[in-house]
Amino acid sequence: MHTPPITGAQIRAGRALLRWTAQKLADASKLGVATIRRADASDDIPSITAANAAAIRQALETGGVEFIWDHGRGVGVRLARHRIVPGEHFDFVSDGNEG
């Protein structure tokens, strides 16, 4: 199956959802921060290599971002339902209504 290319807008939105700086995404994707900033600068398909775009996509997906493709309503991103955040652990979440 063909994977559509990611857009700069999706990259920016994904970073925002994860609250990642350009440096954090660069570290996660093992790319230079200048490459991330160049990809961020475009609203459409950024002028980066396919390998770099794949590395960015993989890093964002690993962080919990799902890419949404155009089905007549536009492209976008959202957080995955079963997102795993390294370092976060909750033993119990209270709503204040337990006995």
Side-chain angles (χ1 to χ4, degrees):
M1 181 175 141
H2 172 69
T3 304
I6 61 174
T7 67
Q10 285 175 304
I11 295 167
R12 286 192 311 277
R15 284 196 315 106
L17 285 171
L18 298 175
R19 297 182 180 177
W20 282 5
T21 63
Q23 185 62 59
K24 171 69 178 168
L25 179 54
D27 294 343
S29 62
K30 297 180 177 35
L31 299 173
V33 72
T35 300
I36 302 302
R37 289 191 177 127
R38 188 169 54 252
D40 270 2
S42 172
D43 286 335
D44 294 318
I45 299 168
S47 61
I48 58 175
T49 68
N52 287 351
I56 291 169
R57 179 182 173 145
Q58 180 63 43
L60 290 171
E61 287 176 338
T62 298
V65 170
E66 288 183 351
F67 287 83
I68 303 167
W69 306 111
D70 189 0
H71 297 287
R73 299 180 67 189
V75 299
V77 293
R78 65 180 169 215
L79 287 177
R81 287 185 184 198
H82 303 289
R83 180 175 163 228
I84 299 171
V85 179
E88 282 190 11
H89 175 71
F90 297 100
D91 290 321
F92 179 74
V93 176
S94 171
D95 65 1
N97 291 319
E98 5 347 279

